[in-house]
Amino acid sequence: MPKSPFKKATLFILIILAVVALDKSHSNAQGTDFGFASLLPLKSIESVFGPLFPPNGIGDTFRSEFGIGLSTPIFTKIKLKGNGTTYDLLDNSPGDHGGKTEPMIDHQSLDGGPIVYDFFAKFRAWRFAAKADYQIFEARSRRADRGGFFFNTVILSGDADIIQGPWLAAGVRAKFYLTDPYFKFNNLRSTVHPIVDPVSPDFNAAAPWTIGVYGRYVPPEILGFPMHLEAWADFPLKGSPYKSYGASVVFRPQIYRFDLFTRLKMEYTTFNLSSIDSSNNGPWDLELQWILYGAEFGIYF
Protein backbone atom coordinates (compact mmCIF):
# COMPACT_ATOMS: atom_id res chain seq x y z
CA MET A 1 0.00 0.00 0.00
CA PRO A 2 1.58 3.32 -1.03
CA LYS A 3 2.25 5.96 1.56
CA SER A 4 -0.27 8.79 1.76
CA PRO A 5 1.15 12.16 0.52
CA PHE A 6 -1.05 14.01 3.03
CA LYS A 7 1.20 12.98 5.93
CA LYS A 8 4.21 14.77 4.42
CA ALA A 9 2.12 17.81 3.55
CA THR A 10 0.73 17.97 7.08
CA LEU A 11 4.22 17.72 8.59
CA PHE A 12 5.50 20.46 6.26
CA ILE A 13 2.65 22.82 7.23
CA LEU A 14 3.27 22.21 10.94
CA ILE A 15 6.96 23.08 10.52
CA ILE A 16 6.07 26.35 8.77
CA LEU A 17 3.60 27.26 11.53
CA ALA A 18 6.22 26.54 14.16
CA VAL A 19 8.79 28.76 12.43
CA VAL A 20 6.30 31.62 12.19
CA ALA A 21 5.21 31.19 15.80
CA LEU A 22 8.79 31.19 17.09
CA ASP A 23 9.82 34.20 15.04
CA LYS A 24 10.52 37.12 17.37
CA SER A 25 9.24 39.75 14.93
CA HIS A 26 6.14 41.59 16.05
CA SER A 27 2.98 41.28 14.02
CA ASN A 28 2.14 44.41 12.04
CA ALA A 29 -0.79 44.52 9.64
CA GLN A 30 0.66 47.53 7.83
CA GLY A 31 4.22 46.35 7.61
CA THR A 32 5.97 44.25 4.98
CA ASP A 33 7.80 41.86 7.32
CA PHE A 34 5.15 39.10 7.69
CA GLY A 35 7.62 37.02 9.76
CA PHE A 36 10.01 36.40 6.88
CA ALA A 37 12.48 39.23 7.42
CA SER A 38 15.28 36.70 7.86
CA LEU A 39 14.43 35.03 4.55
CA LEU A 40 13.88 38.05 2.28
CA PRO A 41 15.90 41.29 2.48
CA LEU A 42 12.76 43.42 2.31
CA LYS A 43 14.20 46.15 4.52
CA SER A 44 17.20 46.53 2.23
CA ILE A 45 15.01 46.62 -0.89
CA GLU A 46 12.65 49.17 0.64
CA SER A 47 15.52 51.41 1.69
CA VAL A 48 16.29 51.91 -2.03
CA PHE A 49 12.95 51.55 -3.83
CA GLY A 50 10.53 52.63 -1.11
CA PRO A 51 7.71 50.62 0.50
CA LEU A 52 6.71 47.59 -1.55
CA PHE A 53 3.16 47.58 -0.17
CA PRO A 54 0.93 50.57 0.65
CA PRO A 55 0.72 51.02 4.45
CA ASN A 56 -3.06 51.63 4.47
CA GLY A 57 -4.10 49.49 1.53
CA ILE A 58 -4.10 50.22 -2.19
CA GLY A 59 -7.49 51.94 -2.02
CA ASP A 60 -6.00 54.71 0.10
CA THR A 61 -3.51 55.51 -2.68
CA PHE A 62 -6.09 56.16 -5.41
CA ARG A 63 -6.05 59.68 -6.82
CA SER A 64 -7.38 61.27 -9.98
CA GLU A 65 -6.36 64.38 -11.89
CA PHE A 66 -8.33 66.37 -14.48
CA GLY A 67 -7.29 69.45 -16.40
CA ILE A 68 -6.63 71.42 -19.55
CA GLY A 69 -3.37 72.54 -21.10
CA LEU A 70 -2.48 75.45 -23.38
CA SER A 71 0.93 75.60 -25.02
CA THR A 72 2.85 77.06 -27.93
CA PRO A 73 5.44 75.04 -29.85
CA ILE A 74 8.03 77.39 -31.32
CA PHE A 75 9.35 75.60 -34.41
CA THR A 76 13.08 75.62 -35.03
CA LYS A 77 12.95 73.29 -38.06
CA ILE A 78 10.29 72.46 -40.65
CA LYS A 79 11.93 70.71 -43.59
CA LEU A 80 10.12 68.71 -46.25
CA LYS A 81 12.08 66.33 -48.46
CA GLY A 82 10.69 64.86 -51.66
CA ASN A 83 10.55 65.21 -55.41
CA GLY A 84 14.36 65.42 -55.37
CA THR A 85 14.31 68.66 -53.36
CA THR A 86 14.41 69.83 -49.74
CA TYR A 87 11.88 72.58 -48.96
CA ASP A 88 12.32 74.75 -45.88
CA LEU A 89 8.84 75.69 -44.63
CA LEU A 90 9.95 77.71 -41.62
CA ASP A 91 8.96 81.33 -42.10
CA ASN A 92 11.91 83.68 -42.77
CA SER A 93 14.40 80.85 -42.65
CA PRO A 94 17.64 81.80 -44.45
CA GLY A 95 17.74 78.38 -46.11
CA ASP A 96 20.48 77.06 -48.34
CA HIS A 97 20.73 78.89 -51.64
CA GLY A 98 23.14 76.34 -53.11
CA GLY A 99 20.37 74.73 -55.13
CA LYS A 100 19.25 71.99 -52.71
CA THR A 101 17.20 73.79 -50.05
CA GLU A 102 14.22 76.00 -50.83
CA PRO A 103 13.78 79.06 -48.56
CA MET A 104 10.02 79.59 -48.20
CA ILE A 105 8.87 83.03 -47.11
CA ASP A 106 5.41 84.12 -45.96
CA HIS A 107 2.85 82.42 -48.21
CA GLN A 108 5.00 79.29 -48.63
CA SER A 109 5.50 78.50 -44.94
CA LEU A 110 3.70 77.12 -41.91
CA ASP A 111 2.62 78.92 -38.76
CA GLY A 112 5.77 78.72 -36.65
CA GLY A 113 4.00 79.19 -33.30
CA PRO A 114 0.53 77.63 -33.19
CA ILE A 115 -1.58 77.07 -30.08
CA VAL A 116 -1.91 73.47 -28.87
CA TYR A 117 -4.86 72.43 -26.69
CA ASP A 118 -4.76 69.42 -24.39
CA PHE A 119 -7.56 67.91 -22.29
CA PHE A 120 -6.46 65.19 -19.90
CA ALA A 121 -7.49 62.82 -17.12
CA LYS A 122 -5.05 60.82 -14.98
CA PHE A 123 -5.72 58.05 -12.46
CA ARG A 124 -3.13 56.79 -9.97
CA ALA A 125 -3.12 53.78 -7.67
CA TRP A 126 0.01 53.16 -5.61
CA ARG A 127 2.98 52.99 -7.99
CA PHE A 128 0.94 52.89 -11.19
CA ALA A 129 -0.85 55.59 -13.19
CA ALA A 130 -2.89 55.68 -16.39
CA LYS A 131 -3.53 58.85 -18.38
CA ALA A 132 -5.70 59.79 -21.35
CA ASP A 133 -5.17 63.00 -23.33
CA TYR A 134 -6.97 64.56 -26.25
CA GLN A 135 -4.56 66.83 -28.11
CA ILE A 136 -5.40 69.44 -30.77
CA PHE A 137 -2.19 70.32 -32.62
CA GLU A 138 -2.52 72.22 -35.91
CA ALA A 139 0.26 74.19 -37.59
CA ARG A 140 -1.55 75.59 -40.60
CA SER A 141 -0.26 77.02 -43.84
CA ARG A 142 -0.02 80.81 -44.01
CA ARG A 143 -2.11 80.61 -47.15
CA ALA A 144 -5.88 80.83 -47.09
CA ASP A 145 -6.28 77.11 -47.74
CA ARG A 146 -6.59 73.92 -45.71
CA GLY A 147 -2.95 72.95 -45.75
CA GLY A 148 -0.63 72.39 -42.81
CA PHE A 149 0.60 69.88 -40.26
CA PHE A 150 -2.19 68.27 -38.22
CA PHE A 151 -1.75 66.03 -35.19
CA ASN A 152 -5.10 65.85 -33.44
CA THR A 153 -5.06 62.63 -31.48
CA VAL A 154 -5.94 60.68 -28.36
CA ILE A 155 -2.86 59.78 -26.31
CA LEU A 156 -2.87 56.88 -23.85
CA SER A 157 0.01 56.57 -21.41
CA GLY A 158 1.01 54.50 -18.41
CA ASP A 159 3.50 55.21 -15.60
CA ALA A 160 5.18 52.87 -13.14
CA ASP A 161 7.23 54.22 -10.22
CA ILE A 162 10.38 52.16 -9.77
CA ILE A 163 11.56 54.35 -6.89
CA GLN A 164 8.95 55.85 -4.58
CA GLY A 165 10.34 57.72 -1.62
CA PRO A 166 8.77 60.35 0.64
CA TRP A 167 10.17 63.18 -1.50
CA LEU A 168 11.48 61.57 -4.69
CA ALA A 169 9.88 59.27 -7.26
CA ALA A 170 11.30 57.95 -10.53
CA GLY A 171 10.07 55.42 -13.02
CA VAL A 172 9.30 54.42 -16.59
CA ARG A 173 6.39 55.24 -18.86
CA ALA A 174 4.97 54.43 -22.28
CA LYS A 175 2.84 56.63 -24.55
CA PHE A 176 0.63 55.55 -27.44
CA TYR A 177 -0.70 58.04 -30.01
CA LEU A 178 -3.85 56.63 -31.59
CA THR A 179 -4.12 58.85 -34.70
CA ASP A 180 -1.67 59.24 -37.58
CA PRO A 181 -0.14 62.70 -38.11
CA TYR A 182 -1.16 64.33 -41.38
CA PHE A 183 0.54 66.86 -43.67
CA LYS A 184 -0.82 68.75 -46.67
CA PHE A 185 0.52 71.67 -48.68
CA ASN A 186 -1.01 72.86 -51.94
CA ASN A 187 1.00 74.14 -54.90
CA LEU A 188 4.43 74.06 -53.30
CA ARG A 189 6.66 75.80 -55.82
CA SER A 190 10.43 75.83 -56.04
CA THR A 191 12.01 79.25 -55.65
CA VAL A 192 15.45 78.05 -56.74
CA HIS A 193 14.06 76.25 -59.82
CA PRO A 194 10.94 78.27 -60.77
CA ILE A 195 10.45 76.46 -64.08
CA VAL A 196 9.70 73.21 -62.23
CA ASP A 197 5.98 72.55 -61.84
CA PRO A 198 4.58 72.99 -58.31
CA VAL A 199 3.84 69.92 -56.21
CA SER A 200 1.11 69.27 -53.63
CA PRO A 201 2.29 66.81 -50.96
CA ASP A 202 -0.60 65.21 -49.12
CA PHE A 203 0.22 62.27 -46.85
CA ASN A 204 -0.19 60.48 -43.53
CA ALA A 205 2.65 59.10 -41.41
CA ALA A 206 2.62 56.32 -38.84
CA ALA A 207 1.47 57.28 -35.35
CA PRO A 208 4.35 57.30 -32.84
CA TRP A 209 4.71 55.14 -29.74
CA THR A 210 7.32 56.10 -27.17
CA ILE A 211 8.95 54.76 -24.04
CA GLY A 212 10.61 56.96 -21.48
CA VAL A 213 11.73 57.78 -17.97
CA TYR A 214 10.59 60.44 -15.51
CA GLY A 215 11.30 61.82 -12.07
CA ARG A 216 9.36 63.86 -9.48
CA TYR A 217 10.82 65.81 -6.58
CA VAL A 218 8.03 66.51 -4.09
CA PRO A 219 9.31 68.22 -0.92
CA PRO A 220 6.85 69.72 1.58
CA GLU A 221 7.67 73.24 0.36
CA ILE A 222 10.11 75.12 -1.85
CA LEU A 223 10.79 78.72 -0.82
CA GLY A 224 7.65 78.64 1.29
CA PHE A 225 5.35 77.47 -1.54
CA PRO A 226 3.72 74.02 -1.90
CA MET A 227 5.21 72.94 -5.23
CA HIS A 228 7.16 70.15 -6.86
CA LEU A 229 9.48 69.61 -9.84
CA GLU A 230 9.20 67.12 -12.68
CA ALA A 231 11.48 65.99 -15.53
CA TRP A 232 11.06 63.42 -18.28
CA ALA A 233 12.53 62.02 -21.49
CA ASP A 234 10.67 60.02 -24.16
CA PHE A 235 12.29 57.94 -26.90
CA PRO A 236 10.93 56.25 -30.06
CA LEU A 237 9.45 52.79 -29.59
CA LYS A 238 7.39 52.27 -32.76
CA GLY A 239 6.00 54.27 -35.67
CA SER A 240 7.32 57.72 -36.61
CA PRO A 241 10.41 58.61 -34.53
CA TYR A 242 9.32 60.98 -31.74
CA LYS A 243 11.82 62.14 -29.12
CA SER A 244 11.29 64.73 -26.40
CA TYR A 245 12.90 66.07 -23.22
CA GLY A 246 11.08 68.25 -20.76
CA ALA A 247 10.76 69.70 -17.29
CA SER A 248 8.04 71.42 -15.32
CA VAL A 249 7.31 73.12 -12.02
CA VAL A 250 3.92 72.44 -10.39
CA PHE A 251 2.22 74.82 -7.96
CA ARG A 252 -0.46 73.12 -5.86
CA PRO A 253 -2.15 75.41 -3.29
CA GLN A 254 -4.68 73.52 -1.17
CA ILE A 255 -8.26 74.79 -1.25
CA TYR A 256 -10.92 73.06 0.85
CA ARG A 257 -11.19 69.36 -0.03
CA PHE A 258 -9.55 69.64 -3.43
CA ASP A 259 -6.02 70.42 -4.48
CA LEU A 260 -5.78 72.77 -7.45
CA PHE A 261 -2.59 72.92 -9.46
CA THR A 262 -0.84 74.88 -12.17
CA ARG A 263 1.96 73.24 -14.13
CA LEU A 264 4.43 75.37 -16.10
CA LYS A 265 6.41 73.28 -18.54
CA MET A 266 9.02 73.42 -21.28
CA GLU A 267 9.76 70.61 -23.72
CA TYR A 268 12.15 70.08 -26.63
CA THR A 269 10.90 67.72 -29.34
CA THR A 270 12.13 66.23 -32.61
CA PHE A 271 9.60 64.45 -34.82
CA ASN A 272 10.40 62.80 -38.17
CA LEU A 273 7.58 61.70 -40.45
CA SER A 274 7.69 59.58 -43.60
CA SER A 275 4.73 59.23 -45.96
CA ILE A 276 2.98 55.87 -45.76
CA ASP A 277 2.40 55.86 -49.54
CA SER A 278 4.41 57.37 -52.41
CA SER A 279 1.65 59.33 -54.12
CA ASN A 280 1.78 63.05 -54.94
CA ASN A 281 5.39 63.05 -56.17
CA GLY A 282 6.43 61.14 -53.08
CA PRO A 283 7.74 59.54 -51.03
CA TRP A 284 7.95 62.47 -48.62
CA ASP A 285 9.89 63.03 -45.40
CA LEU A 286 9.05 65.81 -42.94
CA GLU A 287 11.52 66.84 -40.23
CA LEU A 288 10.14 68.87 -37.33
CA GLN A 289 11.80 70.40 -34.29
CA TRP A 290 10.18 72.65 -31.73
CA ILE A 291 10.52 74.01 -28.21
CA LEU A 292 7.18 73.94 -26.43
CA TYR A 293 6.23 76.40 -23.68
CA GLY A 294 2.97 75.79 -21.91
CA ALA A 295 0.80 75.74 -18.83
CA GLU A 296 -1.66 73.18 -17.49
CA PHE A 297 -4.47 73.92 -15.05
CA GLY A 298 -6.31 71.23 -13.17
CA ILE A 299 -7.61 69.71 -9.99
CA TYR A 300 -6.68 66.69 -7.91
CA PHE A 301 -9.38 64.48 -6.34
Side-chain angles (χ1 to χ4, degrees), residues 76-285:
T76 57
K77 177 191 286 188
I78 307 176
K79 286 190 177 181
L80 180 68
K81 297 179 180 180
N83 194 32
T85 308
T86 297
Y87 303 87
D88 195 328
L89 302 182
L90 186 61
D91 188 25
N92 295 325
S93 172
D96 179 3
H97 297 273
K100 295 183 179 180
T101 300
E102 306 292 338
M104 298 301 167
I105 307 301
D106 296 334
H107 67 284
Q108 292 205 150
S109 64
L110 298 184
D111 182 0
I115 300 296
V116 176
Y117 302 90
D118 184 29
F119 306 89
F120 60 88
K122 188 172 186 179
F123 306 93
R124 171 171 292 278
W126 191 225
R127 291 175 177 263
F128 304 96
K131 185 180 181 184
D133 295 73
Y134 179 64
Q135 169 187 274
I136 302 175
F137 190 156
E138 298 182 352
R140 293 184 175 272
S141 166
R142 294 187 182 276
R143 295 172 175 171
D145 59 18
R146 298 182 178 180
F149 168 70
F150 303 91
F151 197 24
N152 303 333
T153 182
V154 173
I155 309 169
L156 302 180
S157 59
D159 299 356
D161 290 353
I162 305 301
I163 298 174
Q164 191 181 73
W167 286 6
L168 177 67
V172 296
R173 71 178 186 179
K175 299 179 71 174
F176 308 95
Y177 297 78
L178 303 188
T179 305
D180 293 342
Y182 172 66
F183 180 82
K184 179 180 180 180
F185 205 103
N186 298 319
N187 297 316
L188 184 60
R189 182 178 291 277
S190 170
T191 57
V192 176
H193 304 289
I195 62 173
V196 178
D197 293 334
V199 295
S200 299
D202 184 346
F203 63 88
N204 290 78
W209 290 10
T210 65
I211 188 168
V213 295
Y214 63 87
R216 295 190 306 273
Y217 177 59
V218 192
E221 289 183 346
I222 299 178
L223 300 177
F225 294 96
M227 56 190 291
H228 65 267
L229 306 176
E230 301 173 334
W232 61 88
D234 294 311
F235 305 97
L237 178 63
K238 183 181 178 182
S240 300
Y242 188 101
K243 184 186 299 183
S244 65
Y245 310 91
S248 66
V249 55
V250 184
F251 300 90
R252 52 182 205 286
Q254 297 182 3
I255 299 178
Y256 192 46
R257 293 179 55 190
F258 306 113
D259 196 358
L260 301 177
F261 69 88
T262 298
R263 176 181 288 109
L264 304 179
K265 65 179 182 179
M266 182 177 69
E267 186 175 65
Y268 173 77
T269 301
T270 61
F271 193 18
N272 297 326
L273 298 82
S274 297
S275 59
I276 295 177
D277 57 61
S278 58
S279 60
N280 298 305
N281 300 98
W284 294 97
D285 294 300

